[in-house]
Amino acid sequence: MNNAKMTYFEQEDILHLTLSDEPEAGSVEISPNITAELNEAGELIGIEIIQASFFIRDAILESAQGKLLNLSAKHSA
């Protein structure tokens, strides 16, 4: 996985993470906007995120809110 690369297609709002240059033999929908790409052996070789800007925004907000809640809980104790 040392050759991992990320590509963002702004017009389509798609983020693609390539973990391997192997050809894709199949894919699995992980959630409505996230697809895992698999090689012939069923190993993960890539991830595609549709509506990536919303996904990243929501992930960052959830992470920040969780950390803030954890911090405020520590200060309240």
Side-chain angles (χ1 to χ4, degrees):
M1 283 195 204
N2 291 339
N3 60 347
K5 68 179 179 180
M6 233 182 324
T7 307
Y8 178 63
F9 302 94
E10 185 175 0
Q11 194 168 13
E12 297 87 0
D13 194 20
I14 295 174
L15 181 65
H16 190 264
L17 176 62
T18 303
L19 302 173
S20 170
D21 292 330
E22 296 176 71
E24 180 182 338
S27 62
V28 175
E29 186 175 346
I30 297 174
S31 71
N33 292 328
I34 301 175
T35 302
E37 299 166 342
L38 309 171
N39 66 10
E40 202 168 286
E43 300 167 328
L44 182 65
I45 59 166
I47 298 172
E48 180 179 78
I49 302 173
I50 299 171
Q51 296 182 337
S53 59
F54 296 106
F55 174 81
I56 292 170
R57 179 202 62 198
D58 292 347
I60 290 170
L61 285 173
E62 287 176 20
S63 177
Q65 288 172 343
K67 289 183 189 237
L68 288 172
L69 287 172
N70 192 24
L71 285 175
S72 66
K74 287 181 180 179
H75 290 292
S76 299

